[in-house]
Structures are given as C-alpha cells and as structure tokens.
Amino acid sequence: MLESVLNLFFPKACAGCNSFLLSDEKVICTRCRHEIPLTNHHKIKNNDAFSKFYGRIDLEFASALFYFNKKGIVQEMIHKLKYKGHQEVGEAIGNWYAAELKSTKEITDVDYIIPVPLHKKRLKERGYNQVTHFGEALSKNLNIKYNDAILLRNIYSKTQTKKSFLGRSEIVESIFGVQFDERHYNKHFLLIDDVITTGSTLEACSRELLKIPGAKVSIVCMAMTQ
C-alpha cells in the first residue's frame, strides 16, 4: 500500500527509456525488455564473446547478456548504473542473467564470482563498484560465493575508453594483482564486469587469476559492444 502511494507521488522511471514504470514493473519497463538486443551467448559455447579471447587467454566460458550499441537502451542503463548511482540496475541485470545462466553447464562448477576491481581512489570517487550488485545478484541466485578480495587493482588509471586496443593492452598488464592461499587452489573463478569492449582488462584480470595453482576462469558480463 505504502509503495503504491509513493509511486503515485514519486513515480519511478525506466532505466532504459525514462518512461514511468507501471506498478508491476521494476527498474526496466516491459517495452525495453522486449527491445534490448540479447546475445544468447549462454546457449552457444563458441559465441562471439568467447571468440574474442581465443588465442589470448585460456577460458572455460565467456558470455554477455546484452549487445551494447551507442545511444541505445543498454548504454543508457549502464550509464545510469556507472555514473548516476543507480545500483538497482546492476541488481536487475544480475537477476535477469542468473535465470538464464542456471542451465549453463559450463559454469555449474564455479566456486567464486570475482568482480573486476576498482582502485581504492576510484572507489572513493565513485562510492561503489558498478558491478557489485550485479555480482551479488548472480551469487544469490546461482548459489556461488562472491569474493571481491582475491583480485586487486594496484594502479590508479584514467579512463581507457579513447585508447587504442594496443594502448590499452600495454597499460593493463601491470595494473592488476592477485592475493590467494591454498583455499583458492584448483578453483573455478567467474570473472564479471559491465561491458566487454576490447577485452584487454578482462584478459589481464584472467591472467592474474590463472596464476593461482589449478585455477580455471570464465567470464560473464552485462553487455558486449557490437
């Protein structure tokens, strides 16, 4: 009752198109849900996300839920999540993708969900890691432990969105580090991030995780550039 009254005076807007949400809609309106370009990666072993890393890093599986297009619905959602503090967007995407991933056999043996980390300075600036709620929703729905202490970002760096693939690759190699003990040997790690672009950051993070004896790595992201 109280929620209905609040929605009447303070209507919530869709994270994708900014239209007012109906009483039975949460975060993303029904229209946007039908218009968002889905990848269906979780149904295809050698999908285009997995292929992006082929020959670069040894992965068990890689996927993204959405395709990311400039000025599209997904860009609007992730912009709100990343820069406007709308962490409910990450949770909504995590709940959505978890329902799809439950039947994906390649990740049934995953032991830990690991977020791509932010540097402490960046975390202080933004106030949160944009993939935390996404990862926690996956963790809850898939019954996999969430661990944000294994993978570390050692170097504070400016945004890489305008750098070339080669430029990014040269920079990210030394940015990340990993801390582990015998409890983490022979584990399967599910590395998560918001958007797969060149893949250089995810590749660097995967290399760090693979330093753990017996480790296996898979990647799941909210979206992938098309």
Side-chain angles (χ1 to χ4, degrees):
M1 180 65 179
L2 178 59
E3 184 176 358
S4 298
V5 173
L6 288 173
N7 286 338
L8 179 63
F9 291 99
F10 305 99
K12 295 180 180 179
C14 171
C17 68
N18 296 311
S19 63
F20 291 143
L21 294 172
L22 301 177
S23 59
D24 60 340
E25 296 175 333
K26 291 186 177 180
V27 185
I28 308 166
C29 73
T30 303
R31 180 178 177 181
C32 281
R33 279 184 171 268
H34 283 95
E35 292 184 357
I36 288 174
L38 301 174
T39 68
N40 288 313
H41 284 162
H42 56 286
K43 299 178 181 178
I44 310 164
K45 166 65 176 177
N46 295 314
N47 56 61
D48 52 353
F50 186 82
S51 298
K52 180 176 280 290
F53 298 97
Y54 183 78
R56 295 165 59 184
I57 195 75
D58 186 19
L59 297 176
E60 304 300 311
F61 176 75
S63 74
L65 179 57
F66 309 134
Y67 280 118
F68 182 102
N69 298 301
K70 286 188 176 181
K71 298 183 179 179
I73 296 170
V74 177
Q75 183 185 42
E76 180 67 19
M77 290 166 54
I78 291 180
H79 180 81
K80 284 187 172 74
L81 166 63
K82 197 168 183 177
Y83 301 110
K84 301 296 183 180
H86 290 251
Q87 296 189 67
E88 71 276 6
V89 174
E91 182 180 2
I93 296 174
N95 288 333
W96 186 342
Y97 211 6
E100 302 291 341
L101 291 169
K102 282 182 178 180
S103 58
T104 303
K105 65 179 185 300
E106 287 86 358
I107 63 169
T108 54
D109 66 338
V110 166
D111 299 286
Y112 294 103
I113 293 172
I114 309 291
V116 169
L118 294 182
H119 187 269
K120 290 181 180 179
K121 183 178 179 180
R122 176 75 72 198
L123 188 60
K124 186 176 181 180
E125 290 171 349
R126 187 174 295 165
Y128 61 95
N129 185 331
Q130 70 271 13
V131 298
T132 296
H133 280 55
F134 173 63
E136 289 176 345
L138 290 175
S139 173
K140 180 180 178 180
N141 287 283
L142 299 176
N143 195 29
I144 301 171
K145 294 177 182 178
Y146 181 82
N147 190 318
D148 61 1
I150 294 176
L151 194 60
L152 308 172
R153 186 182 289 255
N154 298 319
I155 300 173
Y156 175 82
S157 60
K158 296 295 184 181
T159 181
Q160 300 180 49
T161 54
K162 295 184 180 179
K163 298 185 188 300
S164 66
F165 170 72
L166 180 59
R168 291 189 190 191
S169 298
E170 291 172 343
I171 292 170
V172 297
E173 285 298 320
S174 60
I175 287 178
F176 300 99
V178 65
Q179 56 182 16
F180 60 91
D181 56 40
E182 292 183 357
R183 294 173 300 168
H184 305 119
Y185 290 4
N186 304 305
K187 301 299 184 183
H188 187 175
F189 300 100
L190 183 63
L191 180 65
I192 62 167
D193 202 4
D194 49 10
V195 183
I196 303 173
T197 50
T198 65
S200 56
T201 295
L202 288 159
E203 179 184 351
C205 289
S206 297
R207 290 188 185 282
E208 291 300 318
L209 290 172
L210 288 171
K211 291 178 180 179
I212 302 172
K216 297 190 296 183
V217 176
S218 290
I219 290 173
V220 163
C221 295
M222 301 180 200
M224 176 179 177
T225 55
Q226 197 170 21

